[in-house]
Amino acid sequence: MFRIQPRVQGVTPELLELYKDISPSTIGHMTDFGFLHGAQPLFRPIRLLGNAVTIRTPHIDSSAITKAMELVQPGDVLVIDMSGDEQRACWGEFRTYAAIAKKVAGVIVSGCAADVRAITGLGFPVYSKGISALTTRTLKLEGEVNTPVSVFGVSIQPGDLIVGDDDGVFVINPSEATEIGLKALEKQQKEEQRRKEYGYVLPI
């Protein structure tokens, strides 16, 4: 049985503009909540920013991802809860092609990813627990789209703000994002002034 809920657009253009240069490590000075501990980027450098579309799969069956791809919008981030399966890869090269065609911003997987060389070459942002050649199947058994999920110890709602870079990923409720973002931006501006005082400019 599949449970498919409507897509939620929780992230506004104003939030995307506010967070376009904000690092998760700066957010980590503002709050202890929302950091996806253990979510590793498939490659570096990497940047991820967008609106969460959540997916829950029952271990081996990844059919729900296909259903989610039917309703994603440009700028969405797929957040995939694999129900505790840390051995199989539910994301690989050809799903990446489909995601790029839909202008998906990136993917977070609570399990594994595959086809690392291809995804890295495409530059498509993926965070996962690991890498595996053992994969899921399309069995059309069950799954959920746009329901609350739990990945890397964090509860994520459809429409949450996702912010990721080389240091990791934070998930922020849009209702709290403006306050956190303004504080984070102020901190980064002060840090930039301190760099100038030291005569140093961060490489891009």
mmCIF file with all atom_site columns, all heavy atoms in Angstrom, residues 165-185:
data_model
loop_
_atom_site.group_PDB
_atom_site.id
_atom_site.type_symbol
_atom_site.label_atom_id
_atom_site.label_alt_id
_atom_site.label_comp_id
_atom_site.label_asym_id
_atom_site.label_entity_id
_atom_site.label_seq_id
_atom_site.pdbx_PDB_ins_code
_atom_site.Cartn_x
_atom_site.Cartn_y
_atom_site.Cartn_z
_atom_site.occupancy
_atom_site.B_iso_or_equiv
_atom_site.pdbx_formal_charge
_atom_site.auth_seq_id
_atom_site.auth_comp_id
_atom_site.auth_asym_id
_atom_site.auth_atom_id
_atom_site.pdbx_PDB_model_num
ATOM 1   N N   . ASP A 1 165 ? 26.600 21.491 3.029  1.00 0.00 ? 165 ASP A N   1
ATOM 2   C CA  . ASP A 1 165 ? 27.854 21.765 2.327  1.00 0.00 ? 165 ASP A CA  1
ATOM 3   C C   . ASP A 1 165 ? 28.874 20.706 2.729  1.00 0.00 ? 165 ASP A C   1
ATOM 4   O O   . ASP A 1 165 ? 28.517 19.622 3.198  1.00 0.00 ? 165 ASP A O   1
ATOM 5   C CB  . ASP A 1 165 ? 28.345 23.200 2.565  1.00 0.00 ? 165 ASP A CB  1
ATOM 6   C CG  . ASP A 1 165 ? 28.815 23.473 3.985  1.00 0.00 ? 165 ASP A CG  1
ATOM 7   O OD1 . ASP A 1 165 ? 28.856 22.534 4.817  1.00 0.00 ? 165 ASP A OD1 1
ATOM 8   O OD2 . ASP A 1 165 ? 29.161 24.636 4.290  1.00 0.00 ? 165 ASP A OD2 1
ATOM 9   N N   . ASP A 1 166 ? 30.158 21.009 2.579  1.00 0.00 ? 166 ASP A N   1
ATOM 10  C CA  . ASP A 1 166 ? 31.205 20.025 2.867  1.00 0.00 ? 166 ASP A CA  1
ATOM 11  C C   . ASP A 1 166 ? 31.170 19.524 4.309  1.00 0.00 ? 166 ASP A C   1
ATOM 12  O O   . ASP A 1 166 ? 31.631 18.414 4.600  1.00 0.00 ? 166 ASP A O   1
ATOM 13  C CB  . ASP A 1 166 ? 32.591 20.643 2.615  1.00 0.00 ? 166 ASP A CB  1
ATOM 14  C CG  . ASP A 1 166 ? 32.825 20.970 1.151  1.00 0.00 ? 166 ASP A CG  1
ATOM 15  O OD1 . ASP A 1 166 ? 31.884 20.855 0.346  1.00 0.00 ? 166 ASP A OD1 1
ATOM 16  O OD2 . ASP A 1 166 ? 33.958 21.338 0.802  1.00 0.00 ? 166 ASP A OD2 1
ATOM 17  N N   . ASP A 1 167 ? 30.646 20.339 5.236  1.00 0.00 ? 167 ASP A N   1
ATOM 18  C CA  . ASP A 1 167 ? 30.652 19.995 6.654  1.00 0.00 ? 167 ASP A CA  1
ATOM 19  C C   . ASP A 1 167 ? 29.465 19.145 7.085  1.00 0.00 ? 167 ASP A C   1
ATOM 20  O O   . ASP A 1 167 ? 29.471 18.599 8.202  1.00 0.00 ? 167 ASP A O   1
ATOM 21  C CB  . ASP A 1 167 ? 30.674 21.265 7.513  1.00 0.00 ? 167 ASP A CB  1
ATOM 22  C CG  . ASP A 1 167 ? 31.956 22.059 7.322  1.00 0.00 ? 167 ASP A CG  1
ATOM 23  O OD1 . ASP A 1 167 ? 32.983 21.449 6.969  1.00 0.00 ? 167 ASP A OD1 1
ATOM 24  O OD2 . ASP A 1 167 ? 31.928 23.293 7.523  1.00 0.00 ? 167 ASP A OD2 1
ATOM 25  N N   . GLY A 1 168 ? 28.433 19.035 6.245  1.00 0.00 ? 168 GLY A N   1
ATOM 26  C CA  . GLY A 1 168 ? 27.260 18.252 6.618  1.00 0.00 ? 168 GLY A CA  1
ATOM 27  C C   . GLY A 1 168 ? 25.965 18.966 6.289  1.00 0.00 ? 168 GLY A C   1
ATOM 28  O O   . GLY A 1 168 ? 25.944 19.933 5.523  1.00 0.00 ? 168 GLY A O   1
ATOM 29  N N   . VAL A 1 169 ? 24.874 18.490 6.905  1.00 0.00 ? 169 VAL A N   1
ATOM 30  C CA  . VAL A 1 169 ? 23.532 18.970 6.564  1.00 0.00 ? 169 VAL A CA  1
ATOM 31  C C   . VAL A 1 169 ? 22.754 19.359 7.814  1.00 0.00 ? 169 VAL A C   1
ATOM 32  O O   . VAL A 1 169 ? 22.763 18.637 8.816  1.00 0.00 ? 169 VAL A O   1
ATOM 33  C CB  . VAL A 1 169 ? 22.723 17.887 5.814  1.00 0.00 ? 169 VAL A CB  1
ATOM 34  C CG1 . VAL A 1 169 ? 21.352 18.413 5.417  1.00 0.00 ? 169 VAL A CG1 1
ATOM 35  C CG2 . VAL A 1 169 ? 23.473 17.403 4.585  1.00 0.00 ? 169 VAL A CG2 1
ATOM 36  N N   . PHE A 1 170 ? 22.063 20.496 7.730  1.00 0.00 ? 170 PHE A N   1
ATOM 37  C CA  . PHE A 1 170 ? 21.088 20.898 8.733  1.00 0.00 ? 170 PHE A CA  1
ATOM 38  C C   . PHE A 1 170 ? 19.703 20.931 8.100  1.00 0.00 ? 170 PHE A C   1
ATOM 39  O O   . PHE A 1 170 ? 19.546 21.287 6.924  1.00 0.00 ? 170 PHE A O   1
ATOM 40  C CB  . PHE A 1 170 ? 21.394 22.290 9.292  1.00 0.00 ? 170 PHE A CB  1
ATOM 41  C CG  . PHE A 1 170 ? 22.055 22.279 10.636 1.00 0.00 ? 170 PHE A CG  1
ATOM 42  C CD1 . PHE A 1 170 ? 23.433 22.388 10.743 1.00 0.00 ? 170 PHE A CD1 1
ATOM 43  C CD2 . PHE A 1 170 ? 21.313 22.157 11.802 1.00 0.00 ? 170 PHE A CD2 1
ATOM 44  C CE1 . PHE A 1 170 ? 24.051 22.373 11.987 1.00 0.00 ? 170 PHE A CE1 1
ATOM 45  C CE2 . PHE A 1 170 ? 21.922 22.135 13.043 1.00 0.00 ? 170 PHE A CE2 1
ATOM 46  C CZ  . PHE A 1 170 ? 23.299 22.248 13.135 1.00 0.00 ? 170 PHE A CZ  1
ATOM 47  N N   . VAL A 1 171 ? 18.703 20.572 8.895  1.00 0.00 ? 171 VAL A N   1
ATOM 48  C CA  . VAL A 1 171 ? 17.299 20.677 8.503  1.00 0.00 ? 171 VAL A CA  1
ATOM 49  C C   . VAL A 1 171 ? 16.632 21.669 9.446  1.00 0.00 ? 171 VAL A C   1
ATOM 50  O O   . VAL A 1 171 ? 16.762 21.563 10.671 1.00 0.00 ? 171 VAL A O   1
ATOM 51  C CB  . VAL A 1 171 ? 16.592 19.313 8.590  1.00 0.00 ? 171 VAL A CB  1
ATOM 52  C CG1 . VAL A 1 171 ? 15.129 19.463 8.214  1.00 0.00 ? 171 VAL A CG1 1
ATOM 53  C CG2 . VAL A 1 171 ? 17.277 18.303 7.691  1.00 0.00 ? 171 VAL A CG2 1
ATOM 54  N N   . ILE A 1 172 ? 15.908 22.638 8.871  1.00 0.00 ? 172 ILE A N   1
ATOM 55  C CA  . ILE A 1 172 ? 15.325 23.709 9.668  1.00 0.00 ? 172 ILE A CA  1
ATOM 56  C C   . ILE A 1 172 ? 13.850 23.867 9.320  1.00 0.00 ? 172 ILE A C   1
ATOM 57  O O   . ILE A 1 172 ? 13.481 23.909 8.139  1.00 0.00 ? 172 ILE A O   1
ATOM 58  C CB  . ILE A 1 172 ? 16.056 25.049 9.422  1.00 0.00 ? 172 ILE A CB  1
ATOM 59  C CG1 . ILE A 1 172 ? 17.559 24.902 9.695  1.00 0.00 ? 172 ILE A CG1 1
ATOM 60  C CG2 . ILE A 1 172 ? 15.472 26.154 10.291 1.00 0.00 ? 172 ILE A CG2 1
ATOM 61  C CD1 . ILE A 1 172 ? 18.358 26.119 9.313  1.00 0.00 ? 172 ILE A CD1 1
ATOM 62  N N   . ASN A 1 173 ? 13.018 23.963 10.348 1.00 0.00 ? 173 ASN A N   1
ATOM 63  C CA  . ASN A 1 173 ? 11.606 24.267 10.143 1.00 0.00 ? 173 ASN A CA  1
ATOM 64  C C   . ASN A 1 173 ? 11.484 25.676 9.558  1.00 0.00 ? 173 ASN A C   1
ATOM 65  O O   . ASN A 1 173 ? 12.065 26.623 10.099 1.00 0.00 ? 173 ASN A O   1
ATOM 66  C CB  . ASN A 1 173 ? 10.864 24.182 11.477 1.00 0.00 ? 173 ASN A CB  1
ATOM 67  C CG  . ASN A 1 173 ? 9.374  24.325 11.320 1.00 0.00 ? 173 ASN A CG  1
ATOM 68  O OD1 . ASN A 1 173 ? 8.883  25.293 10.748 1.00 0.00 ? 173 ASN A OD1 1
ATOM 69  N ND2 . ASN A 1 173 ? 8.632  23.370 11.835 1.00 0.00 ? 173 ASN A ND2 1
ATOM 70  N N   . PRO A 1 174 ? 10.751 25.860 8.466  1.00 0.00 ? 174 PRO A N   1
ATOM 71  C CA  . PRO A 1 174 ? 10.652 27.191 7.848  1.00 0.00 ? 174 PRO A CA  1
ATOM 72  C C   . PRO A 1 174 ? 10.176 28.279 8.806  1.00 0.00 ? 174 PRO A C   1
ATOM 73  O O   . PRO A 1 174 ? 10.549 29.446 8.650  1.00 0.00 ? 174 PRO A O   1
ATOM 74  C CB  . PRO A 1 174 ? 9.656  26.976 6.706  1.00 0.00 ? 174 PRO A CB  1
ATOM 75  C CG  . PRO A 1 174 ? 9.800  25.541 6.354  1.00 0.00 ? 174 PRO A CG  1
ATOM 76  C CD  . PRO A 1 174 ? 10.052 24.836 7.668  1.00 0.00 ? 174 PRO A CD  1
ATOM 77  N N   . SER A 1 175 ? 9.361  27.914 9.800  1.00 0.00 ? 175 SER A N   1
ATOM 78  C CA  . SER A 1 175 ? 8.862  28.914 10.744 1.00 0.00 ? 175 SER A CA  1
ATOM 79  C C   . SER A 1 175 ? 9.972  29.486 11.621 1.00 0.00 ? 175 SER A C   1
ATOM 80  O O   . SER A 1 175 ? 9.825  30.576 12.185 1.00 0.00 ? 175 SER A O   1
ATOM 81  C CB  . SER A 1 175 ? 7.761  28.309 11.625 1.00 0.00 ? 175 SER A CB  1
ATOM 82  O OG  . SER A 1 175 ? 8.287  27.301 12.482 1.00 0.00 ? 175 SER A OG  1
ATOM 83  N N   . GLU A 1 176 ? 11.072 28.760 11.747 1.00 0.00 ? 176 GLU A N   1
ATOM 84  C CA  . GLU A 1 176 ? 12.207 29.210 12.559 1.00 0.00 ? 176 GLU A CA  1
ATOM 85  C C   . GLU A 1 176 ? 13.384 29.676 11.708 1.00 0.00 ? 176 GLU A C   1
ATOM 86  O O   . GLU A 1 176 ? 14.374 30.194 12.234 1.00 0.00 ? 176 GLU A O   1
ATOM 87  C CB  . GLU A 1 176 ? 12.669 28.067 13.463 1.00 0.00 ? 176 GLU A CB  1
ATOM 88  C CG  . GLU A 1 176 ? 11.580 27.526 14.378 1.00 0.00 ? 176 GLU A CG  1
ATOM 89  C CD  . GLU A 1 176 ? 12.000 26.243 15.067 1.00 0.00 ? 176 GLU A CD  1
ATOM 90  O OE1 . GLU A 1 176 ? 13.066 25.697 14.706 1.00 0.00 ? 176 GLU A OE1 1
ATOM 91  O OE2 . GLU A 1 176 ? 11.262 25.785 15.956 1.00 0.00 ? 176 GLU A OE2 1
ATOM 92  N N   . ALA A 1 177 ? 13.284 29.484 10.404 1.00 0.00 ? 177 ALA A N   1
ATOM 93  C CA  . ALA A 1 177 ? 14.448 29.664 9.538  1.00 0.00 ? 177 ALA A CA  1
ATOM 94  C C   . ALA A 1 177 ? 14.894 31.117 9.392  1.00 0.00 ? 177 ALA A C   1
ATOM 95  O O   . ALA A 1 177 ? 16.085 31.393 9.291  1.00 0.00 ? 177 ALA A O   1
ATOM 96  C CB  . ALA A 1 177 ? 14.162 29.066 8.170  1.00 0.00 ? 177 ALA A CB  1
ATOM 97  N N   . THR A 1 178 ? 13.960 32.037 9.383  1.00 0.00 ? 178 THR A N   1
ATOM 98  C CA  . THR A 1 178 ? 14.351 33.441 9.210  1.00 0.00 ? 178 THR A CA  1
ATOM 99  C C   . THR A 1 178 ? 15.179 33.922 10.397 1.00 0.00 ? 178 THR A C   1
ATOM 100 O O   . THR A 1 178 ? 16.247 34.533 10.223 1.00 0.00 ? 178 THR A O   1
ATOM 101 C CB  . THR A 1 178 ? 13.112 34.335 9.036  1.00 0.00 ? 178 THR A CB  1
ATOM 102 O OG1 . THR A 1 178 ? 12.402 33.938 7.853  1.00 0.00 ? 178 THR A OG1 1
ATOM 103 C CG2 . THR A 1 178 ? 13.516 35.796 8.909  1.00 0.00 ? 178 THR A CG2 1
ATOM 104 N N   . GLU A 1 179 ? 14.726 33.630 11.598 1.00 0.00 ? 179 GLU A N   1
ATOM 105 C CA  . GLU A 1 179 ? 15.455 34.059 12.799 1.00 0.00 ? 179 GLU A CA  1
ATOM 106 C C   . GLU A 1 179 ? 16.850 33.445 12.837 1.00 0.00 ? 179 GLU A C   1
ATOM 107 O O   . GLU A 1 179 ? 17.841 34.142 13.079 1.00 0.00 ? 179 GLU A O   1
ATOM 108 C CB  . GLU A 1 179 ? 14.674 33.662 14.049 1.00 0.00 ? 179 GLU A CB  1
ATOM 109 C CG  . GLU A 1 179 ? 15.367 34.075 15.354 1.00 0.00 ? 179 GLU A CG  1
ATOM 110 C CD  . GLU A 1 179 ? 14.595 33.653 16.588 1.00 0.00 ? 179 GLU A CD  1
ATOM 111 O OE1 . GLU A 1 179 ? 13.531 32.989 16.443 1.00 0.00 ? 179 GLU A OE1 1
ATOM 112 O OE2 . GLU A 1 179 ? 15.053 33.971 17.704 1.00 0.00 ? 179 GLU A OE2 1
ATOM 113 N N   . ILE A 1 180 ? 16.935 32.143 12.599 1.00 0.00 ? 180 ILE A N   1
ATOM 114 C CA  . ILE A 1 180 ? 18.241 31.473 12.623 1.00 0.00 ? 180 ILE A CA  1
ATOM 115 C C   . ILE A 1 180 ? 19.129 31.999 11.500 1.00 0.00 ? 180 ILE A C   1
ATOM 116 O O   . ILE A 1 180 ? 20.325 32.261 11.693 1.00 0.00 ? 180 ILE A O   1
ATOM 117 C CB  . ILE A 1 180 ? 18.054 29.948 12.503 1.00 0.00 ? 180 ILE A CB  1
ATOM 118 C CG1 . ILE A 1 180 ? 17.392 29.398 13.758 1.00 0.00 ? 180 ILE A CG1 1
ATOM 119 C CG2 . ILE A 1 180 ? 19.398 29.253 12.258 1.00 0.00 ? 180 ILE A CG2 1
ATOM 120 C CD1 . ILE A 1 180 ? 17.000 27.934 13.668 1.00 0.00 ? 180 ILE A CD1 1
ATOM 121 N N   . GLY A 1 181 ? 18.546 32.182 10.313 1.00 0.00 ? 181 GLY A N   1
ATOM 122 C CA  . GLY A 1 181 ? 19.320 32.630 9.170  1.00 0.00 ? 181 GLY A CA  1
ATOM 123 C C   . GLY A 1 181 ? 19.896 34.017 9.343  1.00 0.00 ? 181 GLY A C   1
ATOM 124 O O   . GLY A 1 181 ? 21.055 34.270 8.974  1.00 0.00 ? 181 GLY A O   1
ATOM 125 N N   . LEU A 1 182 ? 19.126 34.935 9.903  1.00 0.00 ? 182 LEU A N   1
ATOM 126 C CA  . LEU A 1 182 ? 19.621 36.297 10.112 1.00 0.00 ? 182 LEU A CA  1
ATOM 127 C C   . LEU A 1 182 ? 20.775 36.317 11.110 1.00 0.00 ? 182 LEU A C   1
ATOM 128 O O   . LEU A 1 182 ? 21.774 37.032 10.924 1.00 0.00 ? 182 LEU A O   1
ATOM 129 C CB  . LEU A 1 182 ? 18.485 37.205 10.587 1.00 0.00 ? 182 LEU A CB  1
ATOM 130 C CG  . LEU A 1 182 ? 17.415 37.534 9.532  1.00 0.00 ? 182 LEU A CG  1
ATOM 131 C CD1 . LEU A 1 182 ? 16.252 38.287 10.161 1.00 0.00 ? 182 LEU A CD1 1
ATOM 132 C CD2 . LEU A 1 182 ? 18.025 38.324 8.372  1.00 0.00 ? 182 LEU A CD2 1
ATOM 133 N N   . LYS A 1 183 ? 20.666 35.510 12.163 1.00 0.00 ? 183 LYS A N   1
ATOM 134 C CA  . LYS A 1 183 ? 21.755 35.424 13.139 1.00 0.00 ? 183 LYS A CA  1
ATOM 135 C C   . LYS A 1 183 ? 23.003 34.794 12.517 1.00 0.00 ? 183 LYS A C   1
ATOM 136 O O   . LYS A 1 183 ? 24.126 35.251 12.760 1.00 0.00 ? 183 LYS A O   1
ATOM 137 C CB  . LYS A 1 183 ? 21.303 34.609 14.351 1.00 0.00 ? 183 LYS A CB  1
ATOM 138 C CG  . LYS A 1 183 ? 20.265 35.299 15.222 1.00 0.00 ? 183 LYS A CG  1
ATOM 139 C CD  . LYS A 1 183 ? 19.861 34.416 16.399 1.00 0.00 ? 183 LYS A CD  1
ATOM 140 C CE  . LYS A 1 183 ? 18.840 35.103 17.278 1.00 0.00 ? 183 LYS A CE  1
ATOM 141 N NZ  . LYS A 1 183 ? 18.393 34.244 18.408 1.00 0.00 ? 183 LYS A NZ  1
ATOM 142 N N   . ALA A 1 184 ? 22.785 33.764 11.714 1.00 0.00 ? 184 ALA A N   1
ATOM 143 C CA  . ALA A 1 184 ? 23.914 33.096 11.065 1.00 0.00 ? 184 ALA A CA  1
ATOM 144 C C   . ALA A 1 184 ? 24.604 34.028 10.076 1.00 0.00 ? 184 ALA A C   1
ATOM 145 O O   . ALA A 1 184 ? 25.838 34.073 9.991  1.00 0.00 ? 184 ALA A O   1
ATOM 146 C CB  . ALA A 1 184 ? 23.443 31.834 10.357 1.00 0.00 ? 184 ALA A CB  1
ATOM 147 N N   . LEU A 1 185 ? 23.811 34.779 9.324  1.00 0.00 ? 185 LEU A N   1
ATOM 148 C CA  . LEU A 1 185 ? 24.379 35.710 8.350  1.00 0.00 ? 185 LEU A CA  1
ATOM 149 C C   . LEU A 1 185 ? 25.183 36.803 9.050  1.00 0.00 ? 185 LEU A C   1
ATOM 150 O O   . LEU A 1 185 ? 26.282 37.169 8.599  1.00 0.00 ? 185 LEU A O   1
ATOM 151 C CB  . LEU A 1 185 ? 23.259 36.331 7.514  1.00 0.00 ? 185 LEU A CB  1
ATOM 152 C CG  . LEU A 1 185 ? 23.699 37.227 6.352  1.00 0.00 ? 185 LEU A CG  1
ATOM 153 C CD1 . LEU A 1 185 ? 24.535 36.439 5.352  1.00 0.00 ? 185 LEU A CD1 1
ATOM 154 C CD2 . LEU A 1 185 ? 22.465 37.820 5.662  1.00 0.00 ? 185 LEU A CD2 1
#
